Amino acid sequence: MFETTPIVVGLDIGTSKVCAVVGEINDSGGLNIVGVGQSKSRGVRKGEVVDATLAGEDIRNAIVEAEQMADTEIRSVYLGVTGGHIRGLNNRGFHPVVSNDREITDDDVQDVIKNARAINLPAENKVLHVIRQLFLVDGQDGIVNPVGMFGASVAVDVHVVHGNLNRLQNPIRAVKNLQLEIEDVVFSGLASSLALLNNHQKEMGSLVIDIGAGTTEFVVYSNGIIKHTGVIAVGGDHLSNDLAYGLKVPLSRAEQLKIDHGSALVEPEIKGHTITLTNDLGIPEKTINLEHLRRIMSLRLGEIFQLIAKELDQSDLLSHVREGVFLTGGCSRIPGIETLANQSFHLPVTLGKTNSISGLKSALDQPEFAAAIGLARFGSFEMRKRSQEKPGLQTTITQTFKNLFGRS
Amino acid sequence: MRESIPDLNSGSSSQPLTIKIIGVGGAGSNVVAEMQRSDLGAIPALILHTNSRILNLDTKAQKMVLGARRTHGLGTGGDPEIGRAATEDQEEPLRQFCQGADLIFIVAGLGGGTGTGAAPVVARVAKDSGALALAVVALPFDFEGNRRTKQAQVGLVNLKSAADAVICLPNQKLFHILDEQTPVTETFAASNDLMTQGVRGIWQMLTRTGLINVDFSYLRSVVHDRHTESMFASAEARGEARVREVLDRLVASPLLEEGRVLQESSDVLVSLVGGPDLTITEVNKIMEQLNRRVTEGQLILGAAIDPTQTGCIRLTIVASRPNRDLAGQSVPELSRLSPPPTLKGEIEAPFFDELTVNLSQSRFKAPPPATTPENTELLLQQLNGQSDRTRRHSSKRLKQEMFNLEIVSKGRFEKSEPTIHHGEDLDVPTYIRRGVVLN
Ligand SMILES: Nc1nc2c(ncn2[C@@H]2O[C@H](COP(=O)(O)OP(=O)(O)OP(=O)(O)O)[C@@H](O)[C@H]2O)c(=O)[nH]1
Ligand SMILES: Nc1ncnc2c1ncn2[C@@H]1O[C@H](COP(=O)(O)OP(=O)(O)OP(=O)(O)O)[C@@H](O)[C@H]1O
Ligand SMILES: [Mg+2]
Ligand SMILES: [Mg+2]
């Protein structure tokens, strides 16, 4: 085992499937995906582990499959977390410049970031990420690096992602029970955005939306920095549940109808079309009105987009998204979803591609994998960062994020 | 199912519902005054009439005389146009009363001038103020004459397009449960009684924090469809044979047309209130039997325990069925409303048939929001302190908490925390929350 190239593993415990992605760090520090393992997820609802036993089995299966494919042993993972309890917020920290000559030093920068981290959160909340945005010197904003500048005061804006500690602990415990180490815990919305966006897209301003089975994560970048993150605990399961209720069919049938006949749009020409359901014996049992099916889906998906648009509009962020909207997660497969998103955001909409990752075979460019691939990518950055570090100098997640989500 | 004992303030749909009642015209005022004397007195009420004699009515409901300028408090002389115009003059105070309500019951008798003309205006104002406008109206007896009947029909059409839903109680249907000699006043009393029970059932279903809560959105979805007509019925029974009796009484309700309404309904909302002695077997039996009756549609169950009602079961249903007459609104509704009286025993299969409790599961049934037997089992176990989760708590504490145990049957999302976004429960299908009618 001594000779092997270092590997990183991204583990995404999704609502519909658990996915483990194994990446190798190549000589140039890039990431090659060498293995993927998947398992149906039975112990997760709305992105959160609700049944530790089932979740444990499913995680194990995904890990074993990934190990076999990559022909390696997995000891540690970068774990993705999500759920309706996770929140993103922007905070500003201030710091008076202390040196006599008023030249801003590294220490000032460390101090101001420390101040920005100090947000008032309820005790049961835990900060997941503090991501540096831009600095201000004597009120002048938009400064990437203030070190060496002169000023009486320095301020920094940070984006903080936090969540409920107890709820974050559920997936962590499930993984630790399998004797796996956790290298780091990462908000899975950030991970998906990492898998999808290149630097240019981050710079121009992009909105990434990952619509999975139980949750929808969204992340906004502009000028190369993270402006906003959010989660709505609504996803493909809601589509199925709505259909089961509205069409009066069992949930499993609704899930299948969604995939076979679903669309985000209600096109006028489908009016009057029906789908005939047969029972086990092939005898027609029920007819479904296709227009109803699509209307139920369209209303739900449209609502998800509207909720996001409304939230972003409140902080006037949509005008910063110049590159457009990138959709991912299993629900981005729904026909017509780009058009519907375009109607809600009035922005160009693309289905996100994960093949910006070097070495990744196109077979792995599936929207369901975005989060897991992004986690591996996160890991590769962090590993590279660590190996570059002089011994004794501590890596902070802030620095990692500066590299990952900030200007490179 | 919630994992924890929920605290009292964090209901699923955040704030409690605000419900108000408006009685319109002579009949509406009488019925609402009567409701105010019962437990329904807890609901803020307003009565409206063109006749100033309502001011003498002994009730704690607010009163408003309509069109004093037009009619000098002397009524409409039976002209709905006057009722309508008088109300439109006074929309502002009406709007103020409606402010902040989630659900407004509008109670009236159709056929005269005030109820017929004013109720649609009241419904529109209520709806505009953001409430679900649910009208509960009596329709005239045949003997009241053709003009009233016609007028009532026109009023009904107007009301249906103004309100979210109209629940009708054709007085004529009461005839075959009352004997010939019953004086008209008593007949009205019976009709008032039924309207009160219907409103009470819906009110309890929505506000009692129950074993199984019925979300407001489901009521909305059941009654919202313009192409259906909504009916209600209520029954109560106590004693050993209470399950059988409450079912028999319910189906014997004249409003259910010998059970035909159940058969033809697309959605049936069931509210079951029992004493602390209510058992799982009883809930199951009632649901099974209703299930057999409701052959086309879906049943939505809400259940609550009323600690003061030991020994008693009260069953209330709101049923909606496709309105066959709707296409031709000219078809006089009332001609259909008086079916040839049949001898009950003749056509009724025994409603409660102990030999056939096993239901065939062949037909489609949506999982949410109807409760599952397992779910019901579980919650009743909890009630009796048998589940693992509740065993830890002292039984005394449990007894107090069990009435607040809130279990919203949510299909796929049963195991997870509800997705509440700015006070809205996103687990409820969007189309339902938007009031979109699939038709
Ligand atoms: N249930 C019930 N129905 C009533 C009662 N009084 C009248 N009705 C019915 O309601 C219909 C309308 O009567 P009212 O409510 O007195 O009429 P109004 O709306 O006040 O109209 P005008 O008096 O003509 O201005 C009648 O045709 C009766 O069938 C009552 O006390 N209870
Ligand atoms: N062709 C399709 N049409 C409609 N829905 C689809 C299609 N393909 C996949 N889905 C839906 O996508 C969802 C799964 O997506 P994904 O794998 O991204 O979710 P997840 O990561 O397991 O869940 P989450 O991130 O919410 O915890 C399921 O609800 C599935 O039904
Ligand atoms: Mg997701
Ligand atoms: Mg996912």
Side-chain angles (χ1 to χ4, degrees):
Chain A
M1 284 246 122
F2 296 116
E3 303 290 312
T4 50
T5 23
I7 61 159
V8 283
V9 179
L11 175 64
D12 173 33
I13 310 175
T15 306
S16 72
K17 52 95 191 45
V18 179
C19 180
V21 162
V22 185
E24 264 178 16
I25 315 262
N26 57 32
D27 293 341
S28 53
L31 181 71
N32 283 337
I33 305 287
V34 294
V36 180
Q38 265 201 95
S39 166
K40 190 173 157 49
S41 180
R42 297 164 300 163
V44 180
R45 293 286 183 281
K46 295 183 181 174
E48 295 184 62
V49 172
V50 294
D51 186 322
T53 318
L54 288 177
E57 285 174 26
D58 297 338
I59 296 168
R60 190 199 308 278
N61 290 336
I63 292 280
V64 167
E65 196 178 299
E67 282 178 332
Q68 284 165 355
M69 183 166 163
D71 191 22
T72 183
E73 185 190 347
I74 294 173
R75 299 207 174 140
S76 68
V77 298
Y78 287 87
L79 175 65
V81 289
T82 186
H85 60 100
I86 290 179
R87 300 264 183 291
L89 58 87
N90 293 323
N91 192 42
R92 182 170 287 184
F94 296 91
H95 173 70
V97 177
V98 285
S99 63
N100 286 335
D101 58 4
R102 303 276 185 208
E103 186 182 334
I104 297 167
T105 64
D106 265 330
D107 287 346
D108 292 321
V109 168
Q110 293 306 323
D111 285 345
V112 73
I113 289 172
K114 201 157 69 196
N115 294 343
R117 293 185 70 109
I119 52 169
N120 257 331
L121 286 179
E124 67 270 19
N125 277 51
K126 163 126 182 65
V127 170
L128 275 173
H129 306 299
V130 177
I131 305 157
R132 194 188 299 178
Q133 296 172 325
L134 291 171
F135 291 89
L136 298 89
V137 174
D138 292 344
Q140 184 204 334
D141 62 8
I143 295 164
V144 180
N145 185 359
V147 173
M149 288 179 72
F150 293 95
S153 77
V154 61
V156 67
D157 288 326
V158 292
H159 186 73
V160 178
V161 182
H162 64 88
N164 179 289
L165 182 58
N166 289 326
R167 287 161 75 173
L168 287 169
Q169 238 135 31
N170 294 328
I172 292 175
R173 226 176 269 136
V175 172
K176 288 201 166 150
N177 281 343
L178 300 173
Q179 316 305 326
L180 287 167
E181 292 280 324
I182 295 174
E183 299 276 354
D184 218 331
V185 176
V186 182
F187 169 47
S188 61
L190 287 180
S192 301
S193 73
L194 272 186
L196 256 47
L197 298 184
N198 59 31
N199 285 341
H200 173 75
Q201 290 158 338
K202 292 178 194 165
E203 200 66 45
M204 291 300 293
S206 299
L207 163 61
V208 173
I209 304 176
D210 181 328
I211 313 180
T215 59
T216 297
E217 291 89 17
F218 50 102
V219 176
V220 178
Y221 288 79
S222 121
N223 296 322
I225 54 179
I226 289 186
K227 292 287 205 185
H228 193 98
T229 55
V231 189
I232 301 174
V234 169
D237 279 352
H238 283 81
L239 288 168
S240 306
N241 201 58
D242 294 358
L243 290 175
Y245 183 68
L247 304 176
K248 304 186 203 291
V249 298
L251 198 56
S252 54
R253 185 76 87 140
E255 176 78 24
Q256 201 55 45
L257 282 170
K258 173 181 78 174
I259 290 172
D260 294 344
H261 302 281
S263 169
L265 305 172
V266 189
E267 272 134 356
E269 61 267 25
I270 61 156
K271 217 176 165 64
H273 285 217
T274 55
I275 305 156
T276 303
L277 301 183
T278 53
N279 66 11
D280 298 343
L281 304 168
I283 297 164
E285 208 168 9
K286 190 182 171 79
T287 40
I288 299 287
N289 181 321
L290 187 62
E291 187 194 344
H292 292 179
L293 184 154
R294 299 216 170 143
R295 185 162 311 282
I296 291 170
M297 289 182 70
S298 180
L299 284 164
R300 174 62 83 173
L301 287 166
E303 178 179 54
I304 295 177
F305 292 140
Q306 285 146 21
L307 290 174
I308 297 172
K310 204 166 147 202
E311 185 170 322
L312 298 183
D313 231 15
Q314 266 161 12
S315 4
D316 195 28
L317 278 171
L318 282 178
S319 57
H320 291 85
V321 179
R322 283 162 295 166
E323 187 73 10
V325 181
F326 295 83
L327 299 178
T328 191
C331 289
S332 67
R333 294 185 186 274
I334 297 170
I337 197 163
E338 295 145 281
T339 310
L340 185 70
N342 174 268
Q343 288 164 3
S344 305
F345 294 107
H346 309 291
L347 290 168
V349 179
T350 329
L351 298 186
K353 290 267 167 230
T354 54
N355 52 17
S356 59
I357 311 285
S358 69
L360 176 58
K361 286 191 235 88
S362 64
L364 296 177
D365 182 24
Q366 312 287 341
E368 289 86 355
F369 294 158
I373 290 171
L375 288 165
R377 187 170 207 205
F378 177 96
S380 74
F381 275 89
E382 202 167 283
M383 294 264 274
R384 188 164 65 189
K385 186 78 204 156
R386 269 184 220 170
S387 67
Q388 284 164 1
E389 236 127 54
K390 298 170 202 100
L393 227 165
Q394 222 201 344
T395 324
T396 63
I397 185 123
T398 317
Q399 285 163 338
T400 313
F401 269 94
K402 193 194 163 216
N403 296 325
L404 271 177
F405 302 115
R407 301 156 182 280
S408 359
Chain B
M1 262 231 27
R2 286 312 159 66
E3 293 294 294
S4 58
I5 303 286
D7 80 73
L8 305 188
N9 303 319
S10 64
S12 77
S13 314
S14 46
Q15 313 91 346
L17 285 177
T18 304
I19 296 178
K20 296 182 180 177
I21 301 184
I22 302 178
V24 190
S29 304
N30 286 342
V31 178
V32 169
E34 209 156 293
M35 288 177 179
Q36 288 287 296
R37 284 189 280 273
S38 74
D39 52 341
L40 292 172
I43 309 177
L46 169 69
I47 57 182
L48 304 173
H49 200 1
T50 50
N51 192 321
S52 55
R53 114 187 111 77
I54 55 159
L55 298 175
N56 305 327
L57 215 57
D58 175 25
T59 175
K60 43 181 189 139
Q62 289 181 52
K63 297 167 187 171
M64 200 167 115
V65 176
L66 293 171
R69 219 164 19 88
R70 288 173 193 271
T71 68
H72 307 287
L74 297 175
T76 59
D79 182 356
E81 266 313 295
I82 296 180
R84 182 187 57 77
T87 319
E88 282 174 349
D89 289 345
Q90 268 150 282
E91 280 188 22
E92 198 37 50
L94 195 54
R95 188 163 294 127
Q96 275 168 22
F97 177 80
C98 295
Q99 211 80 69
D102 299 296
L103 168 64
I104 297 180
F105 288 105
I106 297 152
V107 183
L110 298 186
T114 306
T116 315
V121 181
V122 174
R124 179 172 48 75
V125 171
K127 218 168 128 176
D128 286 350
S129 70
L132 182 80
L134 200 57
V136 180
V137 294
L139 300 176
F141 289 103
D142 287 354
F143 66 71
E144 291 183 79
N146 224 357
R147 174 174 168 216
R148 283 215 161 217
T149 304
K150 284 246 168 65
Q151 212 153 277
Q153 279 169 38
V154 174
L156 189 57
V157 170
N158 288 336
L159 191 56
K160 275 186 172 167
S161 66
D164 287 293
V166 183
I167 298 180
C168 290
L169 170 55
N171 281 338
Q172 186 65 23
K173 278 199 195 174
L174 299 178
F175 248 145
H176 70 282
I177 56 161
L178 301 167
D179 82 57
E180 308 257 301
Q181 307 310 314
T182 313
V184 173
T185 48
E186 271 179 43
T187 322
F188 280 152
S191 160
N192 294 354
D193 232 36
L194 279 176
M195 293 210 254
T196 304
Q197 283 175 29
V199 169
R200 176 181 292 121
I202 297 171
W203 173 62
Q204 285 183 340
M205 167 157 62
L206 296 172
T207 55
R208 282 283 155 85
T209 316
L211 292 168
I212 306 161
N213 278 357
V214 172
D215 196 285
F216 184 47
S217 331
Y218 291 123
L219 173 66
R220 209 186 251 275
S221 79
V222 167
V223 299
H224 209 60
D225 191 337
R226 282 282 146 60
H227 307 292
T228 62
E229 52 180 359
S230 302
M231 269 135 303
F232 64 84
S234 193
E236 199 178 295
R238 41 180 76 242
E240 233 161 74
R242 59 189 184 172
V243 167
R244 176 191 209 124
E245 276 170 22
V246 80
L247 286 164
D248 279 346
R249 276 177 205 163
L250 185 86
V251 88
S253 163
L255 303 182
L256 294 187
E257 300 174 10
E258 316 281 336
R260 265 201 309 285
V261 168
L262 287 178
Q263 219 170 61
E264 293 164 2
S265 285
S266 49
D267 290 279
V268 180
L269 207 54
V270 183
S271 159
L272 186 64
V273 181
D277 54 335
L278 183 72
T279 70
I280 171 72
T281 329
E282 287 175 317
V283 175
N284 278 344
K285 274 190 182 158
I286 289 173
M287 285 314 280
E288 269 163 13
Q289 292 303 315
L290 285 174
N291 227 350
R292 288 159 54 84
R293 287 280 162 156
V294 181
T295 46
E296 296 292 316
Q298 115 171 314
L299 278 175
I300 298 168
L301 168 69
I305 300 290
D306 184 338
T308 66
Q309 293 293 306
T310 304
C312 180
I313 291 183
R314 187 183 309 123
L315 191 56
T316 304
I317 66 158
V318 179
S320 289
R321 69 173 168 189
N323 189 347
R324 292 151 301 178
D325 291 348
L326 200 95
Q329 276 162 347
S330 54
V331 179
E333 185 145 288
L334 290 188
S335 64
R336 194 174 51 75
L337 293 179
S338 38
T342 30
L343 283 177
K344 252 193 81 198
E346 247 173 44
I347 55 156
E348 282 291 285
F351 189 60
F352 184 70
D353 183 351
E354 272 155 327
L355 296 174
T356 51
V357 274
N358 273 335
L359 261 186
S360 98
Q361 290 294 323
S362 67
R363 75 193 158 90
F364 283 100
K365 211 169 120 212
T371 185
T372 60
E374 299 83 62
N375 203 352
T376 317
E377 183 100 47
L378 220 133
L379 54 95
L380 278 153
Q381 272 175 9
Q382 278 183 347
L383 198 66
N384 300 326
Q386 292 163 0
S387 93
D388 285 337
R389 200 174 303 141
T390 48
R391 204 177 283 149
R392 282 177 282 123
H393 301 274
S394 79
S395 64
K396 181 147 179 273
R397 180 154 174 241
L398 206 124
K399 276 219 175 71
Q400 286 164 355
E401 273 177 349
M402 66 192 182
F403 308 120
N404 302 310
L405 248 190
E406 187 182 273
I407 294 145
V408 183
S409 172
K410 293 181 115 174
R412 173 73 180 159
F413 308 116
E414 248 163 1
K415 281 189 183 169
S416 41
E417 167 159 311
T419 301
I420 309 292
H421 194 88
H422 299 302
E424 199 171 353
D425 186 347
L426 298 186
D427 290 339
V428 176
T430 313
Y431 83 93
I432 288 178
R433 280 179 284 114
R434 299 268 168 93
V436 173
V437 173
L438 298 176
N439 253 318

